[in-house]
Amino acid sequence: MSGDDASSVNAALLQMAAKIGGLESTVATLLHTWTQMEAKASDGRKDLHQKVDALRAEMTTMGAQLATATKDIADMKPTVQAVQNVQVQATGVRNASRWLYWLAVLLSGGVGWILTSFVDFHVKRR
């Protein structure tokens, strides 16, 4: 092997070593980036699971509150219906009392008119 051949082989080896070093550096950077991304993704999944668990707990609480409210409304329904019936009856009594009042006014006026028109009262004076 001559000196030129040895120096060209050495130059090629140095160039190959530089490229391998660059590839090693790139692989290390990619590995570091992948590790960071995986950690962030794990944190994101952890946060998501926590939010879903909190939402599930809130939905369970709301379900219990809804069941309680439904039961309370069902318990109040007969009372509300009774109050509505009393209101209807009160309206009927009010209307009937108005009619009776006006009937009494008319009858008393009619009786007064009859007495003054057809009955001749004479008051004797002494």
Side-chain angles (χ1 to χ4, degrees):
M1 232 197 233
S2 70
D4 285 339
D5 287 340
S7 67
S8 68
V9 169
N10 281 339
L13 286 175
L14 283 174
Q15 195 176 27
M16 235 165 81
K19 287 186 180 188
I20 289 174
L23 284 175
E24 185 179 11
S25 173
T26 302
V27 168
T29 302
L30 288 174
L31 181 62
H32 179 68
T33 303
W34 178 75
T35 304
Q36 285 180 336
M37 288 174 62
E38 184 62 30
K40 286 181 182 179
S42 292
D43 289 342
R45 285 190 295 271
K46 180 181 172 185
D47 289 344
L48 181 63
H49 282 292
Q50 288 175 347
K51 288 177 183 177
V52 168
D53 289 342
L55 182 62
R56 184 179 300 136
E58 188 175 334
M59 291 299 288
T60 302
T61 303
M62 286 176 60
Q65 290 172 346
L66 181 62
T68 302
T70 303
K71 183 184 175 299
D72 289 346
I73 290 169
D75 291 345
M76 289 187 298
K77 191 171 184 178
T79 304
V80 170
Q81 287 176 342
V83 168
Q84 288 174 341
N85 289 339
V86 168
Q87 285 176 338
V88 168
Q89 290 172 357
T91 302
V93 168
R94 185 178 63 232
N95 290 338
S97 65
R98 283 182 185 163
W99 281 102
L100 287 174
Y101 171 78
W102 286 111
L103 181 64
V105 167
L106 289 175
L107 284 177
S108 65
V111 168
W113 179 77
I114 289 172
L115 286 176
T116 59
S117 297
F118 297 111
V119 177
D120 190 19
F121 286 109
H122 296 286
V123 178
K124 290 184 182 181
R125 295 190 185 198
R126 290 189 193 214

